[in-house]
Amino acid sequence: MRAIIAGAGRLGQEVAAALAEGGHDVTVVDVDDALVGSLRDRVGWRVVYGDACEPIVLEQAGALKADVLLACGGEDQVNLVISFLAKRHFDVPKVVARINEPENDWLFTDEWGVDVAVSASSTLLALVQEATSVADTVGLLKLGDAGVQLIETRLTEKSIAAGRTLAEIELPVGCIVGAVLREGRPAVPGGSFVLAAGDEVVVISDSTTEADIRRIFQG
């Protein structure tokens, strides 16, 4: 997945790190020249200097081929302009925008090109999940020295795991299903739990890759 993050503040950097850790192609855009220079020297993703409110800057960042754009700036009006350009000018499939001031939430609609609006009080995980929902399987979190990671996969009617019990699904050694989210409610499933389309399966693993999980649950 190709992601553009407009805004290299704390939140933008954390989201970029989480997405890059999951193997996604990440580009961060910011108007702060000093910050951009500092990031280029120490991060593993692409950093572009410029104002993301300008079409030429978004184009240089790869907006024509982006799968998702996240407007993570600290000003709502800036995030709205970026969202509008991303959707209307570049036809980015999914645009996620951060709302800084709750009283402005009514503005963050598809009229401004916003597919998903996330409040500033939302967790980092929620923002990453919204960004990566263009893919059915994604790494959510890696737990440092423990070497354990969380991988989420969303089932559809075409997923080979839909309609099967967990006991029928052969998982690699060191890999377990930690939870299943169904209609927004989490469950800790046993072997007789029957998976269904729409379920979000969270896998805990010490070595299994996203590709492995996708093959096992999606086919």
Side-chain angles (χ1 to χ4, degrees):
M1 181 185 74
R2 293 181 291 268
I4 296 175
I5 299 174
R10 180 188 58 80
L11 180 63
Q13 291 182 44
E14 290 178 353
V15 173
L19 292 178
E21 183 70 24
H24 300 287
D25 182 350
V26 179
T27 298
V28 177
V29 183
D30 200 275
V31 74
D32 186 329
D33 192 18
L35 177 58
V36 167
S38 172
L39 289 174
R40 282 174 176 165
D41 293 336
R42 58 185 176 84
V43 299
W45 58 83
R46 183 174 176 233
V47 186
V48 173
Y49 167 72
D51 186 350
C53 291
E54 298 181 6
I56 186 63
V57 174
L58 286 181
E59 184 172 351
Q60 291 170 349
L64 289 170
K65 296 182 178 180
D67 297 302
V68 60
L69 180 140
L70 297 94
C72 294
E75 298 181 7
D76 287 341
Q77 63 268 33
V78 171
N79 289 341
L80 286 171
V81 171
I82 294 170
S83 298
F84 187 85
L85 283 174
K87 182 64 70 176
R88 307 299 180 217
H89 190 74
F90 294 100
D91 198 26
V92 176
K94 186 162 190 179
V95 177
V96 182
R98 178 190 186 188
I99 304 173
N100 295 278
E101 301 296 336
E103 61 268 23
N104 293 331
D105 61 355
W106 64 277
L107 289 167
F108 286 74
T109 66
D110 57 1
E111 293 183 0
W112 276 96
V114 178
D115 294 307
V116 179
V118 183
S119 70
S121 60
S122 296
T123 64
L124 171 64
L125 181 58
L127 189 58
V128 173
Q129 285 177 317
E130 293 292 359
T132 53
S133 63
V134 293
D136 55 37
T137 304
V138 62
L140 297 178
L141 181 67
K142 192 167 184 177
L143 304 179
D145 295 338
V148 175
Q149 63 176 331
L150 303 184
I151 301 174
E152 179 191 65
T153 188
R154 295 174 174 83
L155 303 186
T156 69
E157 293 181 355
K158 296 181 179 180
S159 302
I160 61 172
R164 300 172 65 185
T165 66
L166 282 180
E168 295 176 303
I169 297 173
E170 186 175 347
L171 295 174
V173 175
C175 178
I176 63 171
V177 173
V180 174
L181 301 178
R182 177 171 292 174
E183 296 180 351
R185 296 184 178 182
V188 180
S192 61
F193 187 94
V194 179
L195 295 169
D199 286 350
E200 299 178 35
V201 183
V202 179
V203 177
I204 305 172
S205 173
D206 61 0
S207 59
T208 309
T209 66
E210 291 176 34
D212 294 331
I213 296 302
R214 192 179 195 286
R215 174 180 51 80
I216 293 168
F217 286 90
Q218 304 294 342

